[in-house]
Amino acid sequence: MRLRRVLLAAACAVGLASCGTASAGPPTTTTVAKFTYGMDPSVSAKMICRHETIADIARVLGVPTTKKPEATWVRHRYTCPYLYTDGSMTVSVKELPTLAATLAYVQGLRVALGDVGSIVNVGQQGFSTTDGSAVTRKDNKVLLVDVKRLPASFGVPATTRDEVALTVTDIILQCWRGD
């Protein structure tokens, strides 16, 4: 648990730095939904495969990718594969046209991937899956950090797949909080 706190603290510090957004002061209780849906991926979806994000994930996990991830955009899903010498991780964002469609999509993932527990204080409706992956949403964007192709212990220092998924989710959501 101590390692997770260290990783999360590092992820938060790194995540805020990479997004290029400065803190606007203390958090507020007002939340405004920001729906982006169109022919091209939103700016926030593209954040998962930005050079800065790739570098931050490598720095926090202590492991670089074997090659620069190349994103794809298919059926409103922006996907960024992270390839490592001993496995891979896929980070994707699905953008949906309405809140109802988004909630139905998240529910479908709960059933398909298995919901083994809520992820609190990170996005909306977040949960961990049976293979250690993480799902969360912000407005109409659903983030999936799929770690099932990573070894059970990964990173330097080594941590569990589910900790990797939560750490990467935190890094991405730090960026999204500023979009």
Side-chain angles (χ1 to χ4, degrees):
M1 190 54 120
R2 185 175 186 281
L3 177 60
R4 180 170 191 267
R5 287 189 195 126
V6 169
L7 286 174
L8 291 179
C12 290
V14 167
L16 286 174
S18 72
C19 298
T21 58
S23 173
T28 63
T29 56
T30 304
T31 301
V32 177
K34 183 176 181 185
F35 277 54
T36 51
Y37 186 80
M39 294 302 294
D40 298 315
S42 65
V43 170
S44 55
K46 290 179 180 179
M47 286 179 186
I48 67 171
C49 218
R50 282 183 47 204
H51 173 73
E52 296 87 356
T53 304
I54 295 164
D56 289 346
I57 290 171
R59 189 169 31 257
V60 171
L61 297 182
V63 182
T65 57
T66 56
K67 68 177 197 169
K68 182 183 180 293
E70 294 184 30
T72 58
W73 173 245
V74 177
R75 295 188 187 121
H76 295 278
R77 180 189 317 274
Y78 194 75
T79 303
C80 187
Y82 285 72
L83 306 175
Y84 302 98
T85 57
D86 57 348
S88 65
M89 164 179 70
T90 302
V91 181
S92 64
V93 176
K94 174 78 172 176
E95 296 184 339
L96 295 117
T98 66
L99 180 59
T102 305
L103 298 177
Y105 182 76
V106 170
Q107 183 57 31
L109 290 177
R110 279 184 199 285
V111 172
L113 302 177
D115 179 348
V116 296
S118 295
I119 300 172
V120 296
N121 299 324
V122 180
Q124 302 158 319
Q125 297 179 301
F127 63 95
S128 294
T129 71
T130 56
D131 64 14
S133 297
V135 176
T136 193
R137 76 172 183 87
K138 181 174 186 264
D139 306 328
N140 69 318
K141 293 173 239 8
V142 180
L143 174 67
L144 170 59
V145 179
D146 182 343
V147 295
K148 69 179 170 270
R149 291 182 188 90
L150 287 178
S153 183
F154 183 77
V156 178
T159 188
T160 62
R161 275 192 298 257
D162 61 324
E163 293 292 337
V164 170
L166 293 174
T167 298
V168 172
T169 298
D170 280 339
I171 291 170
I172 303 299
L173 267 287
Q174 286 296 320
C175 292
W176 283 11
R177 286 184 189 108
D179 80 349

